[in-house]
Amino acid sequence: MLSNRTAPRLAAAAALAAALSAGPVQSALADGRAVTATAVAKPVKAAPPVGLRADDDGGWRGDGLSLNAADNKKVDAFLARARSAERTVSPEMEAVARISHATLIGFDHRLKSPDSLKRKVATAMKAAPGQSVDAALARISDSLRYTLQWPDGSYTNGVTIASSALALWGNDSVKWSNTWGRKYGYKGINAAWRDPRSHHVFEVQFHTPSSKWAQEATHKLYEEQRLPTTSPERARELQEQQDAIFASVPVPEGAEDLAAPAQSRPEPARTLPAPMEQPAAAA
């Protein structure tokens, strides 16, 4: 008899194997990272420009926050690395969506805007005085981000297939936050992966239509809550409003038990030893 947790995982593994047997995508996975043109759902659009709201001195200001010129330059360099990583990560994510039968939500906004990232970095530095911009950037996982969505009934298997495919490509799982079991607050899975080529960290959110709706419905509340000018009383009120919205989200069967996949790396190539020279035959 299979346990309640083992059966869905075996079913998902079988579904992954079947999906990978389809021509173009199978070739992409077998090659390690390359994705053929037929495996890509739509062309990757050019990334938005950087440098918004820059001051004359090269710094940045917005919403009562600021970065000096040196820190602003480092954030711009970080954004440039995100744009470079996007060129290889996006085709992977489109292929993952195909083999797991997911909808790729918000694909046009996969790169975090310069203003949004700079606001996030400046907020983190203000919350922890003395923290360097390098330390703040090291904690950023969503400069490049994607959302995969499935109906409630196929969510658990879909997440298992998608995350297994990402691990199979050699992406390191560096964060796995499964909040489906929470009584209050956000529901969904927020994961972060390190791309093996660029070593840049990107975020993948796994949602159902209901959890994605709740995330969007609470976005403005969350943005106000995290502003440094928001009072503690107002922050508690905003959290209560978010909790009420997320409480209406159904939890898919098995979602609470979903965990990060084991890393799956190909065996390193081995070099055979050189053949030993045979002794010369006696005359």
Side-chain angles (χ1 to χ4, degrees):
M1 291 288 291
L2 296 177
S3 69
N4 290 336
R5 295 184 62 181
T6 303
R9 292 184 179 277
L10 290 178
L16 175 60
L20 297 183
S21 67
V25 177
Q26 181 189 29
S27 299
L29 291 175
D31 291 343
R33 296 198 60 84
V35 179
T36 63
T38 54
V40 180
K42 57 182 177 180
V44 176
K45 296 184 178 180
V50 300
L52 304 178
R53 286 174 145 185
D55 290 340
D56 292 338
D57 63 356
W60 173 91
R61 295 182 183 278
D63 296 330
L65 302 164
S66 64
L67 295 170
N68 63 36
D71 289 347
N72 190 44
K73 185 177 180 179
K74 287 187 176 183
V75 178
D76 283 339
F78 185 86
L79 283 163
R81 292 195 294 274
R83 294 196 303 275
S84 178
E86 185 274 334
R87 291 195 288 269
T88 55
V89 176
S90 284
E92 279 187 5
M93 290 305 304
E94 291 179 306
V96 166
R98 283 190 60 198
I99 65 176
S100 65
H101 303 289
T103 302
L104 197 51
I105 302 293
F107 186 68
D108 289 344
H109 304 288
R110 57 198 178 276
L111 281 161
K112 199 174 187 71
S113 73
D115 265 353
S116 181
L117 180 62
K118 291 174 184 183
R119 188 182 304 110
K120 187 171 185 176
V121 170
T123 299
M125 294 175 69
K126 185 172 183 177
Q131 179 181 204
S132 70
V133 68
D134 296 308
L137 287 170
R139 293 179 172 85
I140 299 292
S141 61
D142 64 346
S143 59
L144 179 59
R145 67 277 178 95
Y146 303 88
T147 298
L148 295 175
Q149 179 179 290
W150 297 267
D152 290 24
S154 55
Y155 178 83
T156 300
N157 279 353
V159 172
T160 304
I161 293 169
S163 59
S164 296
L166 284 166
L168 181 63
W169 257 311
N171 296 289
D172 285 324
S173 175
V174 297
K175 172 189 172 184
W176 185 273
S177 177
N178 183 344
T179 59
W180 282 110
R182 283 184 183 174
K183 186 175 181 180
Y184 301 105
Y186 181 89
K187 285 186 171 61
I189 295 176
N190 285 13
W193 308 77
R194 181 175 284 108
D195 172 51
R197 284 188 173 181
S198 64
H199 304 292
H200 195 81
V201 174
F202 61 97
E203 180 184 80
V204 182
Q205 295 185 9
F206 302 105
H207 276 293
T208 65
S210 295
S211 66
K212 182 60 181 173
W213 169 84
Q215 181 195 44
E216 293 177 349
T218 58
H219 180 69
K220 289 185 177 180
L221 302 175
Y222 171 73
E223 289 292 325
E224 182 184 349
Q225 183 184 29
R226 70 176 185 171
L227 288 175
T229 55
T230 301
S231 68
E233 294 77 14
R234 176 59 177 163
R236 284 194 294 272
E237 179 184 342
L238 292 167
Q239 186 60 58
E240 289 173 358
Q241 293 176 29
Q242 293 174 70
D243 291 344
I245 293 172
F246 281 114
S248 68
V249 176
V251 179
E253 183 177 358
E256 298 175 35
D257 297 325
L258 287 167
Q263 297 304 121
S264 178
R265 298 185 179 277
E267 286 285 332
R270 293 189 175 92
T271 303
L272 295 176
M276 296 180 61
E277 293 186 5
Q278 298 294 325

